[in-house]
Amino acid sequence: MKDWNDRWSNINKYLDRSGPYTDPGFKPGEQVKSFLHEECKVLVIGAGGLGCELLKNLAMMGFKDIHVIDMDTIDVSNLNRQFLFRPEDINKSKAIAAAEFITKRVPGVKVTPYFGKIQDKDEEYYSQFKIIICGLDSVEARRWINATLVNLADMDYPETIKPLIDGGTEGFKGQARVILPGITACYECSLDMHTKPVSYPMCTIANTPRIPEHCIEYASVVEFPKAFPDRKVDTDSVEDLTWIYQCALNRANQFNIEGVTYQLTQGVVKHIIPSIASTNAIIAAACANEAFKIATNCTSYLNNYFMYMGDNGIYTHTFELDKKDNCPVCGFEQIQMTINPKLKLKDFIQMLMDKPNISIKKPSLATPSKALYMQAPKNLEMATRPNLEKTLDELVDESEEVVVTDPSLPISMHIGFTYSLDEKIVDDVVNA
């Protein structure tokens, strides 16, 4: 559809002329407007509370080629804040329903949906976009797309650097950030800043549960491993969450506790903090503004972290998050560790899982010559399981490199060892 006269008059006020706050490289005129409307293909990951706001904002700001990915379907509980959806949309794909709404409501804007996981797409798919914006509630998904874009970036070819704008909310708090893969701090650099999930004492959930969350946690960490000893809970599996919900409901009935629902079960198992519409709107607006600034170069974009704390009044704060040299995703190619050679492999794996700057869940380890421990397939896991009780010096020479892979990341980490028998030594992760 052809634009009518003055359709973008408000937007053009920023694009038709320079001003005291415009970026030195900004060139006003028809070329930048044409790029915004016709060439700037944008991907929105997530069509929930943040995603709905983002899609609306981007469409109204002049972005006409928008893609959206979401693996969830619409639940009745979404309708109070995810305003693109209606009661008749319940059980439909969020991505498809949101795309249909925007396409119908904003003439000339094309929104292409994908109902599925971001992991279903490859680097070629992500390389087609100029900007990628995340409106996710999953740390694992953020880490995956961050690592994918860092891996895609080649400093010799600027067009391979895909700006990633990440938004997130927790109740009345929120953040927006701009990540330039390979240049600025990436998402992995800030993992140790995350709020630790709420945990409940085992003695309480096992013996004297008092609230619905105790019953859900008991079903998740006690009953599920008993019923399924060979695997962990898949937080994205409807079957797993339904099993936990039913188990928690039965336990709640035993202790006369009310309030166990499927939605609450999702929140406890996935550590989701309830979303608030006003916070979503503020953070989505901040993310959309950054996308507009990056696309048009009309003013400097955020450098690089914006925080909103609505529980302390309307308070915002910005700062520059520094890139970490020892980041396993955007740092140097090899991580060097000084470590006791008598450490058992199983303890080393647990140490990797506990380190906030690595933060992996199901690592598989190998050297160039042999597999140390593989999580899958089952026959390989069984074949390498005896290595868990062996010490590092039995398995790895000091000159060898250990390659670590994990389902949560699309890249591998390379670790080099320096052995030391000093009892006071604390494993020191530095760059090689």
Side-chain angles (χ1 to χ4, degrees):
M1 178 179 178
K2 188 176 180 180
D3 292 331
W4 55 89
N5 290 335
D6 298 327
R7 181 181 187 185
W8 305 112
S9 58
N10 290 329
I11 296 296
N12 289 343
K13 290 178 181 178
Y14 299 96
L15 305 180
D16 279 334
R17 61 182 184 274
S18 298
Y21 298 107
T22 56
D23 191 90
F26 173 62
K27 296 180 180 180
E30 295 302 317
Q31 186 174 356
V32 66
K33 290 187 285 186
S34 175
F35 177 81
L36 173 68
H37 299 315
E38 310 299 336
E39 300 176 43
C40 191
K41 185 182 293 188
V42 179
L43 173 65
V44 175
I45 302 178
L50 272 176
C52 286
E53 291 279 357
L54 281 166
L55 290 169
K56 176 261 296 181
N57 291 346
L58 294 170
M60 300 297 288
M61 294 173 79
F63 293 92
K64 292 186 177 183
D65 191 356
I66 305 170
H67 291 237
V68 58
I69 294 179
D70 198 296
M71 62 176 288
D72 289 338
T73 56
I74 299 164
D75 183 77
V76 65
S77 63
N78 301 143
L79 302 182
N80 71 331
R81 64 192 182 282
Q82 297 174 22
F83 59 91
L84 299 184
F85 309 136
R86 300 294 182 266
E88 58 268 24
D89 294 324
I90 291 173
N91 295 325
K92 293 182 181 178
S93 157
K94 286 185 177 181
I96 294 173
E100 290 175 349
F101 188 101
I102 294 293
T103 301
K104 181 179 178 181
R105 188 65 178 267
V106 187
V109 174
K110 178 185 177 183
V111 183
T112 305
Y114 175 71
F115 177 35
K117 297 182 178 181
I118 57 174
Q119 292 87 348
D120 295 342
K121 301 295 187 180
D122 57 17
E123 288 188 354
E124 184 179 357
Y125 172 82
Y126 292 108
S127 65
Q128 67 180 302
F129 300 105
K130 302 296 184 184
I131 301 170
I132 297 172
I133 311 175
C134 288
L136 292 162
D137 61 3
S138 166
V139 171
E140 286 75 16
R142 285 186 174 98
R143 294 180 67 198
W144 190 91
I145 189 64
N146 170 76
T148 297
L149 297 182
V150 170
N151 198 44
L152 185 66
D154 185 336
M155 297 301 105
D156 293 329
Y157 300 93
E159 66 275 10
T160 65
I161 301 172
K162 307 297 178 181
L164 175 64
I165 302 171
D166 177 58
T169 64
E170 290 185 351
F172 286 102
K173 297 179 180 179
Q175 56 86 21
R177 60 186 298 185
V178 173
I179 297 170
L180 299 181
I183 300 175
T184 67
C186 76
Y187 185 81
E188 199 80 11
C189 290
S190 62
L191 280 185
D192 53 359
M193 293 175 57
H194 291 178
T195 303
K196 292 185 177 180
V198 176
S199 60
Y200 304 98
M202 181 57 70
C203 58
T204 300
I205 66 173
N207 302 315
T208 55
R210 298 185 300 274
I211 58 177
E213 288 84 350
H214 290 165
C215 300
I216 297 168
E217 189 78 356
Y218 183 84
S220 175
V221 303
V222 178
E223 295 296 343
F224 191 92
K226 288 181 181 178
F228 307 98
D230 296 330
R231 64 184 185 88
K232 295 183 179 180
V233 177
D234 181 354
T235 58
D236 293 324
S237 168
V238 175
E239 290 78 13
D240 283 8
L241 291 176
T242 300
W243 191 95
I244 293 171
Y245 162 62
Q246 293 293 345
C247 183
L249 190 60
N250 292 336
R251 185 168 177 80
N253 291 335
Q254 293 174 12
F255 287 88
N256 296 316
I257 297 172
E258 298 181 351
V260 173
T261 65
Y262 182 80
Q263 182 184 358
L264 182 61
T265 301
Q266 282 183 303
V268 172
V269 174
K270 300 178 73 171
H271 305 294
I272 297 174
I273 296 176
S275 181
I276 295 174
S278 59
T279 310
N280 286 338
I282 291 168
I283 297 304
C287 291
N289 275 340
E290 295 309 316
F292 183 80
K293 290 189 283 185
I294 291 173
T296 63
N297 206 32
C298 64
T299 189
S300 299
Y301 50 81
L302 179 68
N303 184 30
N304 52 25
Y305 206 105
F306 164 86
M307 296 181 66
Y308 165 72
M309 287 148 280
D311 53 349
N312 293 322
I314 303 177
Y315 176 72
T316 62
H317 176 62
T318 62
F319 62 92
E320 181 180 359
L321 187 67
D322 291 333
K323 184 177 179 180
K324 288 189 174 180
D325 289 338
N326 64 347
C327 174
V329 172
C330 71
F332 290 102
E333 290 186 1
Q334 187 187 75
I335 297 171
Q336 187 67 32
M337 301 186 74
T338 303
I339 201 162
N340 192 317
K342 300 304 178 184
L343 189 69
K344 289 184 177 180
L345 180 64
K346 67 177 183 179
D347 297 323
F348 175 69
I349 292 174
Q350 187 60 51
M351 186 188 71
L352 289 179
M353 294 169 66
D354 292 339
K355 292 189 82 60
N357 68 319
I358 294 180
S359 189
I360 49 182
K361 291 186 175 182
K362 296 181 65 176
S364 295
L365 289 77
T367 68
S369 59
K370 61 182 178 293
L372 300 179
Y373 179 69
M374 308 303 290
Q375 298 275 356
K378 189 173 182 178
N379 62 333
L380 193 52
E381 192 279 332
M382 293 180 65
T384 57
R385 191 182 300 173
N387 287 342
L388 294 174
E389 297 298 329
K390 296 180 179 180
T391 61
L392 291 179
D393 61 353
E394 291 181 87
L395 298 168
V396 184
D397 293 334
E398 244 186 322
S399 60
E400 283 190 297
E401 181 179 69
V402 174
V403 179
V404 181
T405 57
D406 189 84
S408 64
L409 292 175
I411 62 172
S412 56
M413 291 178 286
H414 299 259
I415 299 176
F417 288 154
T418 299
Y419 288 143
S420 172
L421 290 171
D422 187 348
E423 293 182 357
K424 296 181 180 180
I425 192 167
V426 177
D427 58 288
D428 183 23
V429 182
V430 295
N431 286 0

